[in-house]
Structures are given as structure tokens and as C-alpha cells.
Amino acid sequence: MPLVKVENLVKHFPVRMNFIKALFTRERKKVHAVNGVNFSIEEGETLGLVGESGSGKTTMGRLVLRLEEPTKGRIFFAGREITSLSAEEMRRLRREMQIIFQDPLASLNPYMRIGEAIRHPLVIHGIGENKRKQREMVLEMLERVNLRPAEEFYNRFPRQLSGGQRQRVVIARALITRPKFVVADEAVAMLDVSVRSQLLKLMVDLKREFNLTYLFITHDLATTKYICNRIAVMYLGRIVEEGSFRDIYTDPLHPYTKALISAVPEPDPKAMERKKKLIPEGEVPNPIDPPSGCPFHPRCPYVKEVCRTVPPELKEYSGDRKVACYLYD
Amino acid sequence: MNIVDGKEAVCRIEDFRVHYMTFDGPVKAVDGVNMEVYREETLGLVGESGCGKSTLGSALLKILPRTARMSGKVYLEGEDLMSKMEKEMQKLRGAKIAMIFQDPMTSLNPIMKVKDHFTEMIRTHKPEVSEEQALEMAARALEEVGISESRLNDYPFQFSGGMRQRMMIALSIVLRPALVIADEPTTSLDVIVQAQILQLMKEIQSHIRSSMILITHDLGVVAEMAHRIGVMYAGHLVELAPRDVIYYRPLHPYTVALLESVPNTDINDMDLDYIEGYPPSLLNIGEGCRFADRCPKVMKLCRDRTPPDVQIDEEHIVKCWLYADSFEEDEDNASG
């Protein structure tokens, strides 16, 4: 049984319109952020959700935790449907499902000492019998994420920390309740190269130690290799391809995935010269008015008539590989 | 003008320093940088945040905040920029030395039409050019970057991120400057659009034959774009060499460690290395190598004295004591 499963998930956001205009238009515009997504994550697995800005990957992560209400579709956690749970039930469940955001400075209260920030979830969920016990748990966690000496870090404020240290605090706070499932939304994107790799390594180690299951959301294909078992590539609110990172890297199927892989700048000039460049023209269309049919068809070099009208379904290609493209029918 | 080893240096920077004055003392953002930019080449300047790469780029145009104190020499086509007054700098900016910023939305005026950005730029430097001629030049520059002439009447907000960056490039090259400084030009773009823009920048550069300093944190971007690469760390230029030397025969321990910590898409290379620790604060920083605290090969000498720029061969310079022994006589010191 998968730990997390979503079925046919749809999320549309209404577009704000000024009042006068709204009086005279019947049609309400909406952003098609997520357009019918299915995936499941097994316990102990890391699924990488890769896409460019506007692909709907962040909305997807928020939907799974029900920080955002889906327009349609169902979400399962540990075999239980959570789509219609009450706010109170969800609050209790969040002990087991946590999220790490991109910008640590924005997700930490600047007036709260970091020890207290990490202790806060324990207070909310009533873990640890008293303050002293909770403090011990926090110190232990600070040690674990390499913020040493822990006693000293406990009393610091976020502004006294470097970017990498702050992200360690955010990770510590997410893991203090011992969750089963963690959504990491561009968790290392804002950090410098040398620090990014430290944090990635930490996340891999913690995963093993705490037996975590990650949904790792990123725009950067190259970082997924070190942490993900499987990768799902999103484009304009749909998953266009899914498979092991090995298959996605070496033999991408969907024309969009091919483009994405060929566009990644490699820190190796010779590899860059060898690489076939399949850069499509144009940019990602506006999700307010997505193209009919396959979302990639306006930029696709292999476009056929059917692509323009009916969106292809995400179908099994072989083994654990799936692709949404008529080329493989 | 300088001719160095058969290559003509468009820009020469000598012992250049930028210190930001604060109440707590100077922040030594750029500290003793020497380098040259040759004609028609792209020099990649890479480093992590706070290494001084952007400060150096902006300093060449003298557009730093008032708290910045500059010293050293900068020559652009033989002209000494540091002795120039603001009025004279204004004449050079855009005409001889231009800048492409990371975020075009904040560097374009939101209430000015595209065509007005161009005509203002062109006619400030060339008052003899008529309005119509300027518009013609603008249309041609836009065409070069793949934007239709019809968009001259649009405002910047009507463009997508990639198109805006194209427009910024057109604007920076319309007067054919000798040196273009591109400061993280593709950092805010998605990877496919980034690839498009990099391709465009390459084409444009070979077409207008200007030199470029490409400032970026992304070692993948310079691998594709640069002829030579300078690696900066904490205000020092620690290594400067032709591209392939940096990637395949790096010498400075920081360059080596940095390259190992960059993720790539090679599935046979699954090791993720990283550099322990964080870069030092540049506030009141003293003598010594600034990488010493994180360096696996640190020696006692490294902490006491700033390493010299060691010339390995004609085109390879390393700021590190490890390589100083074969050039200086204090071998005991270096191997100790």
C-alpha cells in the first residue's frame, strides 16, 4: 500500500477581476494550476516532482498536505482518504506530514529564538511531558542537523544564522514531530552550490535515519539524482512522464522531458558539446488559458493532429515508466 | 591599448579593491584583483553569493553605492576609468561599456515604452541621430534578438520574462559597446528559456564582436559560454585560466572542491561531495588565505599571509601557497 496517493487531482484558482468588469462578464477566468494528476509514493520512497515555473508543482505539494483545497480529486494518506477530513482532524494528522519551504528566512519568525521555533510543533501537538523534556528533544535535534554547540544555537535568532544554517533549522522543525511524510518544496534551491550539497546530503541521511518518505519538488533536474527514486515531470498542471531517475536521465521519452534534459547546463564543457540540443522555441503558455489537447503541443517538434484536440493520458510504457504522449501509443 | 601575448586586452584591472564602509569597519568585498579581458572573448566570473563577483562587475561601471571605496586601476581600451568623473562615466556607460542585469523588470522603467528606452539611450550618446534613425536602430537591435519590430510600442510588463531579457540584451548592444558585463543574466529564468538566451548571447557576441564578462554562480552556464574563467572566493580571484583548464586541471583547492560539489546529470557519478563550513565574513577580514578554514590542504603559512598570484603558465594564475614554491625561494615555508 502506498503511503501517499492522489487520484485525478484538479486545482483551479479564480483570477481576480475588478468589480465593474465582473458585473458584465459571465465567464470567470481561472488559473489551471493542476489538471488531473495521479501519482503514488511508497513508504520510504522519494518521488521527485520536476517542472518549470508555472508547472503546478508547488500547488501539487500544498494540495497533498491539504494546505490548499482541491477543486476535484482524492488524496489518500496511509490508506485513509483525507480529502474531506475536518480542519481539526487535519491538524492532528499534520504531525505525520510536514513541509519544508524554499526560503528559510520567510518561514521562520524573526522574533522567535530558533530553539523555541523548533519546540513550537511539540507544544502544538502536545509531545513531551514538560518544557524541560521538550527542550532536550530540541537540543538533540539541533545536534542531529549539525547546529553545534546546540545550547548556543537554541538561543539565537534567525538573522544571526547563515542561509544554510537557517535551512537546517527549518528541517529540524519539520522533523521534530517525527513525521512519516515530508514535502520538500525547492528546499535547497536558494542556497549556494557548496552549501546546497551539504543540505542535500543531510536530507538523504535523515531520510534513512527517520525512515522518511519525501515528495521532493524542484526545478533542478540535476539535484534529483542524489535523493529521488522516481521522477515525475510536470508541465502546465499535468504529469507528462514518470520513471526512475536513471531512465529519465538516459532515455527520456516525452519531447518535453527531452528538451528539459538537453537544456540543463552541465559543469563539463565536453559533455555540453556532446549533448544534443533540443531546445524548443517559445515559453511556457499562460496557465489561465492553457492550450487545448496536449499542453506541450504548441512547442512540440513531433506534433500530430490528435495532439491539438485531445490531451494524451499518462499511460504505462514499460515496467514503472509512464508517459503521456501519442508518440508511444 | 595593450597587446598581451598576441591578444589584445580590452579591459585591464590592476590590484583592484572595493571596500564597503560600515560602522563596524570595512567589508572587503573585492580585495586585490588582477585580470584582463581580451577582445571578443567571454570571461566567466564564477563564485558563490558574497564572493564579490557582482561588486566587481558594478565597480567597472562605477555604479556602486556611496559607501563603497575603490582603489586600484581599471583601463578600458586604454582609458583609465578610476580617474574619470561621473559626467565622463555617463558618456561611457551604454556606449563603451554596458550591463545586462539579472532582473530586467527592475532595470527597465515600467512606464516607458520599449521604443523610448531605445531612443533615450541612443540619443543621449549620439545627439546627432534623429528620432527616426534611432527607431530604425532599435528595430534592427530587436530583430537581432528575435523580437518583432511591432513590439516597440509595448511596455516592459507586456513581455514575458525571457522576452524581457532579450529586450535588455538588445538595449545593451544597440550602441555596440566594447565590453558587456552580464550579471547573472539567466538566473531568474527557467532552464529551457535560459538555454535559449545563452544561445542568443553567444550568437550576438560573435556577431557584434564585443567582449563580455559573464558573472554567474552557475558552473554549468560558464562551461557553455566562457573562453576563460575566473573563480572568486570571499573577495579574492583565486584562479584564472582557460575554460578547459578550470574544468579538467584545476589547481586551487576551492576550485577543485567547488567542481566536485556541483550536481551533474551523469548517472555514473553518484557521489555528492560538499565543502564543510561556510565562507568567512568579509568584515574587517585580515591577512591570510580566505579559504584556509575550509581547505583540506591548509598549511600554517596560509592563515598568516595572503597567497600571491602564482603564474603557472601563460594563461593560468592561482592564488595559493601550494604552488608558490616552484616560483619563489621559500620552499621550506611552502611545504611546511
Side-chain angles (χ1 to χ4, degrees), chain A residues 121-179:
Chain A
L122 297 178
V123 178
I124 290 172
H125 293 289
I127 306 169
E129 47 268 35
N130 53 33
K131 198 174 169 186
R132 220 183 60 225
K133 184 82 187 56
Q134 289 174 342
R135 196 185 145 88
E136 267 166 38
M137 291 166 76
V138 172
L139 289 174
E140 200 181 305
M141 191 50 106
L142 280 170
E143 288 269 338
R144 185 55 205 88
V145 297
N146 271 327
L147 291 172
R148 293 175 195 155
E151 289 278 353
E152 204 175 289
F153 274 101
Y154 193 100
N155 288 317
R156 289 208 195 152
F157 288 101
R159 62 163 190 279
Q160 297 170 304
L161 272 53
S162 72
Q165 290 172 329
R166 276 183 216 130
Q167 198 60 298
R168 285 169 194 271
V169 173
V170 174
I171 291 173
R173 186 179 59 181
L175 297 187
I176 192 92
T177 63
R178 303 293 163 123

Side-chain angles (χ1 to χ4, degrees), chain B residues 240-274:
Chain B
L240 179 67
R243 182 189 69 182
D244 288 3
V245 174
I246 290 285
Y247 284 97
Y248 303 119
R249 295 190 301 282
L251 290 179
H252 198 285
Y254 174 65
T255 315
V256 174
L258 187 66
L259 279 167
E260 280 170 359
S261 62
V262 184
N264 57 33
T265 55
D266 180 0
I267 57 157
N268 297 315
D269 173 15
M270 291 298 290
D271 292 331
L272 183 63
D273 293 304
Y274 58 91

Side-chain angles (χ1 to χ4, degrees), chain B residues 46-256:
Chain B
V46 291
E48 302 177 79
S49 356
C51 72
K53 57 190 191 301
S54 288
T55 292
L56 180 58
S58 300
L60 299 184
L61 281 106
K62 292 173 83 173
I63 49 172
L64 291 172
R66 258 185 233 164
T67 51
R69 298 277 175 280
M70 293 185 272
S71 69
K73 297 272 180 216
V74 176
Y75 298 97
L76 179 69
E77 297 197 305
E79 279 185 273
D80 177 7
L81 294 188
M82 287 304 119
S83 65
K84 292 234 180 291
M85 305 297 285
E86 176 57 20
K87 269 256 146 57
E88 297 171 289
M89 278 310 293
Q90 282 175 5
K91 285 190 189 135
L92 292 178
R93 286 183 208 130
K96 265 195 153 179
I97 179 168
M99 188 126 179
I100 303 170
F101 292 98
Q102 172 175 348
D103 182 1
M105 202 57 216
T106 53
S107 39
L108 296 167
N109 186 336
I111 54 166
M112 257 168 86
K113 286 182 177 176
V114 172
K115 66 172 182 190
D116 298 329
H117 279 98
F118 278 95
T119 47
E120 182 190 55
M121 167 91 151
I122 295 167
R123 300 194 65 207
T124 309
H125 291 292
K126 296 186 171 170
E128 73 279 7
V129 173
S130 72
E131 187 85 31
E132 291 79 60
Q133 282 171 316
L135 280 177
E136 240 168 70
M137 286 169 77
R140 224 173 321 140
L142 280 183
E143 196 193 311
E144 280 169 343
V145 298
I147 298 179
S148 126
E149 189 185 329
S150 63
R151 303 210 60 179
L152 275 170
N153 280 314
D154 287 350
Y155 290 94
F157 74 86
Q158 292 168 296
F159 288 74
S160 67
M163 287 308 236
R164 221 148 34 212
Q165 198 55 297
R166 280 170 195 265
M167 189 184 124
M168 195 68 211
I169 292 169
L171 193 59
S172 71
I173 55 142
V174 68
L175 292 173
R176 301 292 189 253
L179 179 63
V180 177
I181 297 170
D183 190 357
E184 303 272 12
T186 57
T187 303
S188 58
L189 303 172
D190 277 320
V191 54
I192 290 180
V193 179
Q194 162 169 293
Q196 294 168 351
I197 298 286
L198 292 178
Q199 184 56 39
L200 174 75
M201 284 172 65
K202 246 181 177 170
E203 285 165 19
I204 296 265
Q205 196 204 1
S206 68
H207 168 58
I208 72 165
R209 308 177 140 234
S210 69
S211 306
M212 179 156 69
I213 298 180
L214 175 63
I215 299 170
T216 174
H217 69 283
D218 189 336
L219 276 153
V221 168
V222 277
E224 181 160 10
M225 300 288 290
H227 302 103
R228 285 191 307 144
I229 294 172
V231 180
M232 287 191 74
Y233 184 79
H236 284 157
L237 183 67
V238 296
E239 188 159 8
L240 179 67
R243 182 189 69 182
D244 288 3
V245 174
I246 290 285
Y247 284 97
Y248 303 119
R249 295 190 301 282
L251 290 179
H252 198 285
Y254 174 65
T255 315
V256 174

Side-chain angles (χ1 to χ4, degrees), chain A residues 43-83:
Chain A
E43 195 162 346
E45 189 186 41
T46 299
L47 176 70
L49 205 54
V50 179
E52 298 180 277
S53 10
S55 64
K57 57 188 191 300
T58 292
T59 305
M60 199 56 243
R62 297 176 59 89
L63 283 172
V64 173
L65 299 183
R66 278 196 59 212
L67 296 173
E68 213 68 80
E69 290 304 320
T71 310
K72 250 192 270 175
R74 307 206 293 169
I75 307 156
F76 298 86
F77 181 73
R80 174 177 175 208
E81 183 170 354
I82 61 166
T83 330

Side-chain angles (χ1 to χ4, degrees), chain A residues 260-296:
Chain A
L260 202 59
I261 297 262
S262 83
V264 176
E266 300 268 351
D268 180 347
K270 283 177 189 156
M272 292 288 276
E273 275 158 27
R274 278 198 302 272
K275 211 148 102 166
K276 258 197 290 174
K277 281 286 163 77
L278 307 153
I279 308 301
E281 299 264 318
E283 293 173 45
V284 183
N286 191 336
I288 292 179
D289 198 10
S292 60
C294 171
F296 192 58

